[in-house]
Each structure stands twice: as structure tokens, then as C-alpha cells.
Amino acid sequence: MAQSTETADWVSRFADDVIEESERRAPGKPVVVASGLSPSGPIHLGNLREVMTPHLVADEIRRRGYQVRHLISWDDYDRYRKVPAGIAGIDETWAEHIGKPLTSVPAPKGSTHPNWAEHFKAAMVESLAELGVEFDGISQTAQYTSGVYREQILHAVAHRADIDAILDQYRTKKAPAKQKQQQKPVDEAELEAEEGSGAASEDDGSSGSAGYFPYKPYCGNCEKDLTTVTSYDDETTELTYACTACGFSETVRLNEFNRGKLVWKVDWPMRWAYEGVIFEPSGVDHSSPGSSFQVGGQIVGIFGGKQPIGPMYAFVGISGMAKMSSSRGGVPTPGDALKIMEPQLLRWLYARRRPNQSFKIAFDQEIQRLYDEWDKLDGKVTDSSALPADVAAHSRAVRTAGGELPTTPRPLPYRTLASVADITAGHEDQALRILSELDPADPIGSLDEARPRYNKAEAWINTHVPADQRTIVRDEPDAELLKSLDEASQQSLRLLLDGLADNWSLDGLTHLVYGVPKVQAGFPADATPKELPAEIKTAQRTFFALLYHLLVGRDTGPRLPTLLLAVGQERVRALLGE
Ligand SMILES: [Zn+2]
């Protein structure tokens, strides 16, 4: 299909800038965009923006026929800062590993992965595959321990006075000492900043007896980074460090040593230069003076590179978390979102908002409205009535340069699927019967036609809808309520029952339940709201409440047409007193 007309949205505009800049800096080379993720624990859903922003831009550039590399830097050579709460398979003994590289910390018990970082990386890799995100993953452990950055490290150390001078501009301004936190919710990052003594030096590099030093060895005895460089010889690159954790000390030659890393504020710009990164967005907290992005913009010159185009992206919130039954203390991952929504919907949430706009990802009832909105857009795109920017966002959601994402063959409304899953509680034969009655002219023949959307709706009902909001259809008619009904109420039930057989479809029942109060008031069943007095609305509400009480014993419930189909004609007749 042709995808050359998408010039209307933010993705396209960034793609223009990035292509232009790439051709200026590195003519004829693949365009390089980058993300960084720290597998220090479960990678939060909120951090997905770090990947989705460059992904969407990379994908647009690919659609235009350019070669693109989307690097995801796995910051797995970072120190293990703390034992996160709410992780299954770990205990207090994991605290012994604080200070080691994330790849030297054991994975939680029962994991099939070799270490902590790999364990949490794996879940993210799986989600990114489902989302259609194409990337080159780069393990910083692999890079550093194989000596890939040796020249850059020696260069940084040789120019440590220049780096120190740049950092000093911000130190004198007394900028807050920020931890590397582009992928972390602010509260956690602040917590960490407080707990780590000397947090500023950890970011900037330490000033030991050898003066300012932008490189930190991991201890050769205990593997922790609680080391201080005590001497360095620029001629021979002989470096002596001492470990404050275990007392170990040794002298190594930095030109052949591979067990340490540049401090974060130097590491990041070094990698911009090394990889030739043209586009790398970061979290809003990087906009402050002295932030790693800003300081990096100066330090990158020491490595002969340039700062990437780096828009700040706004926070992505989650709604409905309070109700969430999570083993991770209520912190959802992209995998949790993909259990309840198709990847297209999640991609759309990112594509339709500019990076500087914040938004929420719904785990509560709001997801039903969101899906309605998505289906409506899908319909408009199909009949060519959507606005260009909406068409662009839709296209970015449903396909990548590599092709269409897998779809649900019969995308029935999410709220209907959720109601059916709610009412049938795992009985698939019942669910299929109801779903095949939604559109009797073109019934679905197998539940698979409604999958995976059906599975997502079912998972949402089972994991995010509180027990007191689940629908339980009455076993027996409410004899007392039926007996107490006045003439008008009895008549309304009669009108409904008389119309059931002829209207047993989603559309037919919708028409019927809204029509009954109109007919009762002396209007045609198909009269439009404009032709009706306002009291009709009240009459409809009263009628609906009566039906809910008789069917499910509550004031409200799933949309009535869906509920009626779900309950089944025979049982509806019994519960309504026929
Ligand atoms: Zn040690």
C-alpha cells in the first residue's frame, strides 16, 4: 500500500529534521536513532515512551526508503542500586549485590535467565516484538567488558581536566545532583538520589587523591563499584584504585583493562559520538540546568561528536492502578498492557500525542471508551472521512515499514467482548453463542475470529475489574419486584418481551430497548431525540434500571442489548416474568 502522504503529524516533522541532520553529519550512512533502558528491575510501562518515540520516527524514515538503525542501549553495566520491592523470587540477601553491575547480580529464583539484567530485559524484548518495534540491542556490559570503548575511555581520561571544567560550570550553579533517571518515575529516582551518598560524584566522576576522574573500576575482588582511583599515570596508563567495600587494591593498565565504566554524564555523550546518534529523546527531567542531556551536549564535543536532536518527552501515566492486582506493587509493564489491549491500540496512544503531551494508559473502565474511539477512527479511515493527522496516527498504529501487525479478523466492540467474557465467566461455548447472535446476518463461526481482541477483553475483566463490579445474572426471577410493579412498568416489560424474537441481534435490541419508552409515551419507536420531549430520557433511565434489577439485581450493568444477548432469550423471558 502507498504510505507516502503522511506529512501531517509530529512523527513526520521529526523524520524530516532527522533525515536532514543525518545527511549533513553522515552522508550516505544509515540514520541512527537511540533509546536507553536500564534493566534494574521490571521495565515500567511509563518507560515505553523512551522506545516508542524514536521507534515511530525511525519507522517513518524507513517508510521513506532510508536505512535506519534504532539502537536500544541496555544499560546493564550500571550498578545495582537497590533491591526493588515486590519482586517474586528474591529475598533480603540480594542486598549483598548492591554496587555490582546489573549483569553480575543473580536473577530471581526460578528464572531461566543467567542474571538480573537479562531476566528483566527478556520481558521487554518480548513486548517490543509484539509491538512491532525493530531495534538493535546493545548490551553495555558486552561493550565495556570486551574493550570496545577502550580508545574513548583513554581519551576521556586524557581530557579529564576539560570534562571537569565543563561539569564545574554546573557545580558552581549548585544544580541539583540528579541521578540518571530518564526512565524512572520521579519519585523513585529521587529516592535513589537520596539514598546513594555521593550521588553527584557517581554521576559526574569522583575526585579522589588522583584528582577528578571520569572512570570507575568495578573491584577485582568484590565486583562492587565502591572504588576510588588513587593514582593514574598518563604516560603508562597505570591506574591504581582502592575498594572501600572490601579493602582490595590493585594497579592495572587502563589501556588493557576492561572492568569499569565511564561515569554516566560522560558515558552518554561518549556513546552519542561513538554511534553517531542523530535522534535520542529523553524524559522531561533532563531539561533542567546541569542535566545529563544538557551537560552531555558540551561533553560530546570532546569525543568529536554532536548532540542528537533530543526532544523532551512528557510523563505517561496509568489510570486504574489502584485496582490492579499486580505482583509488582502495582507497577505495570508493557507486557501487562499488552495482556489487555492489542498492540495497535498501544501504538496509537503514542502516535497520536506529541512527545511533549502527557497522557494516560487506561487499565480501568476508560479502556472501553478508548477502544470505542479507536474503532470509530478505524471506520473513518476505511470510508476515507478521517482527518490527515488521524489517518497518519492510525497508519503508524496498524503497520510498520515491515508490514501490517497481526489483527483480529472480526474486531467486535471491546466493551461487548468484555461484557460477554464477564457474563460467561470462561464458558467459551456460551460466549460463542452470544457473539454469533450479535449480527445474525453474518454470524461469527468460531471464537478465534474474535481473537486476540476477545482474549484481551477477557483478561481485562478477570484482572482489572473489581469483584463488586462483575455481572452476576440472577438465577431466579425477582418475584417480589415483579409483583410490586405498577401498570406502566408491566406494560413496558410486555412491549419488550413482544419484540424480543424479531429483534434478537445487537442492532435490533438496541432499537427495541430505546424504543419501548417512546412507544409507551405515544411516539413512534424510531422517533429521533429532537422529536421527543425531554421526559423520555427519564422514562428510558427508569426502564433500564428496572431491567438491570430484574436481570442482574443491580442499578447498572453492561449495555442492555449486550446483556440481553448474553443472558439468552429464554432466560430473559423467565427473569422478566413471562
Ligand atoms: Zn571490593
Side-chain angles (χ1 to χ4, degrees):
M1 73 230 65
Q3 290 301 334
S4 55
T5 55
E6 284 152 27
T7 52
D9 66 343
W10 67 266
V11 180
S12 214
R13 289 192 292 273
F14 271 123
D16 292 342
D17 293 349
V18 172
I19 289 170
E20 195 188 314
E21 191 61 24
S22 183
E23 286 182 341
R24 185 156 50 223
R25 291 191 201 178
K29 296 257 182 67
V31 179
V32 180
V33 307
S35 308
L37 291 173
S38 174
S40 58
I43 297 175
H44 306 167
L45 177 55
N47 299 342
L48 190 56
R49 204 167 205 174
E50 171 73 22
V51 177
M52 288 309 293
T53 307
H55 163 68
L56 292 167
V57 171
D59 189 61
E60 170 61 24
I61 295 172
R62 231 173 250 137
R63 288 180 193 214
R64 297 186 193 179
Y66 293 85
Q67 279 200 301
V68 187
R69 290 181 73 210
H70 178 181
L71 311 178
I72 292 185
S73 172
W74 298 107
D75 293 329
D76 55 11
Y77 206 45
D78 284 5
R79 78 192 301 258
Y80 186 53
R81 292 173 192 276
K82 64 168 186 177
V83 184
I87 309 279
I90 62 169
D91 54 42
E92 66 284 354
T93 62
W94 262 258
E96 294 164 13
H97 303 291
I98 288 173
K100 293 182 188 173
L102 291 166
T103 38
S104 295
V105 177
K109 284 174 203 148
S111 170
T112 56
H113 300 283
N115 60 58
W116 185 271
E118 291 297 329
H119 176 80
F120 292 106
K121 200 194 285 186
M124 188 67 177
V125 168
E126 197 180 314
S127 295
L128 292 176
E130 200 178 334
L131 283 163
V133 174
E134 193 185 310
F135 66 93
D136 291 349
I138 297 179
S139 159
Q140 293 305 326
T141 299
Q143 298 286 90
Y144 271 106
T145 59
S146 64
V148 165
Y149 301 138
R150 175 160 301 122
E151 270 180 47
Q152 286 71 20
I153 292 166
L154 292 170
H155 187 79
V157 168
H159 293 81
R160 60 191 181 278
D162 301 333
I163 293 171
D164 193 30
I166 291 170
L167 292 168
D168 203 45
Q169 297 166 16
Y170 299 95
R171 292 195 195 109
T172 54
K173 281 178 194 162
K174 295 209 189 312
K178 288 237 170 185
Q179 291 278 354
K180 171 186 182 184
Q181 57 184 238
Q182 87 251 37
Q183 309 125 5
K184 290 174 190 137
V186 170
D187 54 352
E188 189 191 328
E190 278 172 359
L191 257 172
E192 289 179 5
E194 278 172 29
E195 88 183 359
S197 63
S201 65
E202 186 188 315
D203 260 7
D204 296 356
S206 53
S207 294
S209 48
Y212 171 76
F213 213 75
Y215 176 89
K216 214 174 224 297
Y218 280 110
C219 173
N221 180 48
C222 73
E223 278 193 272
K224 296 184 178 179
D225 71 341
L226 300 169
T227 56
T228 312
V229 174
T230 52
S231 74
Y232 182 72
D233 183 333
D234 281 285
E235 288 298 310
T236 62
T237 79
E238 253 184 23
L239 177 154
T240 305
Y241 70 85
C243 176
T244 57
C246 72
F248 181 78
S249 176
E250 68 174 330
T251 300
V252 299
R253 287 173 78 103
L254 194 55
N255 63 10
E256 56 189 29
F257 182 73
N258 292 334
R259 203 186 52 246
K261 72 186 286 289
L262 291 170
V263 295
W264 167 243
K265 279 185 175 167
V266 182
D267 179 43
W268 199 18
M270 179 278 286
R271 289 190 270 120
W272 292 340
Y274 181 82
E275 304 286 0
V277 178
I278 306 290
F279 182 74
E280 181 168 2
S282 53
V284 280
D285 46 313
H286 281 279
S287 58
S288 60
S291 70
S292 23
F293 187 80
Q294 200 191 21
V295 175
Q298 287 180 259
I299 293 177
V300 70
I302 291 174
F303 296 100
K306 282 178 106 178
Q307 190 174 38
I309 296 170
M312 305 295 159
Y313 54 81
F315 186 67
V316 175
I318 315 293
S319 66
M321 281 311 301
K323 295 163 193 155
M324 188 173 170
S325 54
S326 169
S327 58
R328 287 176 299 273
V331 176
T333 62
D336 290 322
L338 290 168
K339 283 193 186 87
I340 64 164
M341 63 184 77
E342 295 163 279
Q344 288 89 343
L345 190 86
L346 193 51
R347 289 176 63 90
W348 179 58
L349 296 177
Y350 288 93
R352 69 179 182 153
R353 297 277 181 254
R354 292 191 308 275
N356 62 358
Q357 292 177 297
S358 59
F359 65 89
K360 282 187 173 181
I361 297 174
F363 280 74
D364 55 10
Q365 301 286 337
E366 172 69 9
I367 191 174
Q368 303 189 87
R369 199 203 53 73
L370 210 55
Y371 249 108
D372 287 345
E373 201 185 332
W374 168 247
D375 286 344
K376 205 170 158 192
L377 171 61
D378 202 54
K380 282 184 173 176
V381 169
T382 304
D383 70 18
S384 304
S385 65
L387 298 169
D390 294 337
V391 174
H394 180 271
S395 169
R396 303 192 190 292
V398 301
R399 66 184 69 91
T400 67
E404 304 283 320
L405 270 72
T407 54
T408 299
R410 290 285 297 266
L412 299 167
Y414 186 90
R415 66 171 71 242
T416 303
L417 296 175
S419 295
V420 170
D422 179 19
I423 295 160
T424 58
H427 293 94
E428 296 203 342
D429 49 335
Q430 269 187 54
L432 177 60
R433 173 189 61 75
I434 299 163
L435 293 177
S436 63
E437 286 173 347
L438 290 175
D439 183 4
D442 183 18
I444 74 163
S446 148
L447 218 45
D448 287 343
E449 294 174 34
R451 288 184 164 125
R453 192 185 279 198
Y454 180 74
N455 303 39
K456 313 280 182 191
E458 189 177 35
W460 177 69
I461 281 287
N462 289 333
T463 52
H464 298 286
V465 178
D468 65 359
Q469 287 175 28
R470 296 290 301 267
T471 305
I472 301 160
V473 180
R474 293 184 63 92
D475 287 326
E476 297 290 330
D478 188 339
E480 231 167 281
L481 177 55
L482 284 166
K483 227 187 296 172
S484 71
L485 295 179
D486 60 17
E487 185 81 11
S489 299
Q490 287 179 23
Q491 193 202 13
S492 65
L493 292 182
R494 191 73 261 151
L495 283 168
L496 181 82
L497 288 165
D498 288 348
L500 279 186
D502 290 341
N503 292 288
W504 198 254
S505 68
L506 196 60
D507 285 349
L509 289 171
T510 304
H511 188 71
L512 182 64
V513 295
Y514 283 92
V516 164
K518 299 182 203 169
V519 171
Q520 260 197 306
F523 295 92
D526 55 1
T528 60
K530 269 186 238 164
E531 302 166 322
L532 297 163
E535 302 86 79
I536 289 291
K537 280 233 148 89
T538 315
Q540 282 171 339
R541 267 198 296 274
T542 311
F543 178 52
F544 294 172
L546 172 62
L547 292 177
Y548 282 123
H549 271 283
L550 290 168
L551 296 170
V552 299
R554 300 194 318 169
D555 286 339
T556 59
R559 290 193 170 174
L560 274 169
T562 312
L563 178 62
L564 293 167
L565 282 176
V567 174
Q569 207 174 140
E570 204 177 316
R571 200 161 163 203
V572 168
R573 289 182 187 282
L575 293 175
L576 299 190
E578 188 173 78

